């Protein structure tokens, strides 16, 4: 009986391996790791926001609307309780992406307004936080890119035959992925041109009247 049980275990292991079970586990863990890193980088940005707000608060006394927008975006991000150990559902990921896009937009507007405050731009604390924020945005883009690729690899694999049978038996469904949004455009600093120093073009002098015909 013991030999038969061992033989059945070996047979099942061989069949499962041949149907992609082991590869599903590998890809699933890769997606979880990529999601954990993505969430970590977004959290890093969220942690920077209170410091940035505190550093600009003394300067932007007339920019309450911008400060409120950043604070509301930070609160919305904080209200989404997502775990690094669990891949979110499609609805949860959509809410997460919308909240993060709002935060990106608010921070972009705040940095654009800061250009109007030379003293703030010269503040060492603000400059340091700005550098940290820029680095965090780059890490977010990298982490998002990795997560997107890992999910694509996983989803493609479990949809193939005969892996799809194994995935169905063990309850492995396709995972939601980030959609295409305008995050790259939002973070691009707006280009504003003021042509106040350009000399005005003088109006053309009226044409001289034609000479009268000779009598």
């Amino acid at each position: 009986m013991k030999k038969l049980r061992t033989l059945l275990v070996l047979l099942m292991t061989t069949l499962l391996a041949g149907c992609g079970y082991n590869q599903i586990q590998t890809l699933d863990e890769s997606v979880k790791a990529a999601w954990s890193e993505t969430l970590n980088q977004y959290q890093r940005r969220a942690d920077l926001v209170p410091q940035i707000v505190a550093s600009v608060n003394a300067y932007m006394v007339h920019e309450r609307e911008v400060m409120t927008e950043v604070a509301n975006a930070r609160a919305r991000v904080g209200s989404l309780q997502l775990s690094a150990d669990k891949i979110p559902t499609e609805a949860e990921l959509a809410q997460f992406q919308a909240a993060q896009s709002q935060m990106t937009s608010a921070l972009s507007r705040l940095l654009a307004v800061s250009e109007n405050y030379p003293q703030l731009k010269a503040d060492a604390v603000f400059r340091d936080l700005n550098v940290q924020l820029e680095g965090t945005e780059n890490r977010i883009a990298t982490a998002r890119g990795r997560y997107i690729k890992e999910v694509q690899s996983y989803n493609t694999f479990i949809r193939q035959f005969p892996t799809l049978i194994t995935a169905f038996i063990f309850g492995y469904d396709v995972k939601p992925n980030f959609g295409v949004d305008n995050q790259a455009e939002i973070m691009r600093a707006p280009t504003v041109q003021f042509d106040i120093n350009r000399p005005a073009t003088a109006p053309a002098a009226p044409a001289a009247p034609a000479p009268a015909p000779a009598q």
Side-chain angles (χ1 to χ4, degrees):
M1 179 64 68
K2 185 177 181 180
K3 291 183 178 180
L4 178 60
R5 184 179 301 169
T6 302
L7 181 61
L8 289 174
V9 170
L10 292 175
L11 180 61
M12 287 295 298
T13 302
T14 302
L15 290 175
L16 288 175
C19 292
Y21 180 82
N22 291 341
Q23 186 65 15
I24 290 177
Q25 306 308 307
T26 300
L27 294 175
D28 183 61
E29 290 301 319
S30 295
V31 171
K32 290 179 180 177
W35 169 247
S36 177
E37 178 62 18
T38 302
L39 202 59
N40 179 60
Q41 295 305 331
Y42 274 118
Q43 183 60 48
R44 179 187 178 91
R45 181 175 71 171
D47 292 340
L48 281 174
V49 171
Q51 302 176 58
I52 294 175
V53 170
S55 70
V56 305
N57 191 51
Y59 297 94
M60 294 187 179
V61 293
H62 302 298
E63 305 293 348
R64 296 298 95 188
E65 181 183 350
V66 178
M67 304 290 283
T68 300
E69 182 181 350
V70 173
N72 290 341
R74 175 64 176 82
R76 185 181 179 190
V77 168
S79 68
L80 299 177
Q81 301 298 324
L82 297 181
S83 172
D85 300 324
K86 178 180 178 295
I87 303 300
T89 64
E90 186 173 355
E92 290 172 338
L93 186 60
Q95 292 180 341
F96 178 82
Q97 185 171 1
Q100 295 298 342
S101 294
Q102 182 183 359
M103 172 65 76
T104 301
S105 178
L107 286 173
S108 178
R109 185 180 176 193
L110 178 66
L111 295 179
V113 171
S114 70
E115 295 294 321
N116 299 325
Y117 296 84
Q119 289 181 321
L120 173 60
K121 291 173 61 179
D123 186 274
V125 174
F126 178 75
R127 290 202 311 267
D128 179 64
L129 290 171
N130 204 5
V131 170
Q132 292 185 55
L133 179 61
E134 182 179 352
T136 300
E137 293 293 349
N138 291 333
R139 285 188 286 271
I140 285 175
T142 300
R144 275 173 58 111
R146 180 191 170 197
Y147 176 80
I148 289 171
K149 289 182 180 179
E150 295 293 351
V151 171
Q152 287 176 341
S153 297
Y154 169 88
N155 287 344
T156 300
F157 185 73
I158 68 167
R159 286 172 172 169
Q160 296 175 349
F161 184 85
T163 312
L164 60 89
I165 299 176
T166 305
F168 176 77
I169 292 174
F170 290 94
Y172 286 95
D173 297 322
V174 296
K175 299 184 185 297
N177 212 341
F178 282 108
V180 178
D181 59 15
N182 61 341
Q183 182 165 352
E185 289 296 326
I186 290 174
M187 287 307 299
R188 185 174 302 159
T191 301
V192 182
Q193 294 180 346
F194 297 97
D195 297 332
I196 58 177
N197 295 322
R198 179 181 297 177
T201 303
Q215 297 293 331

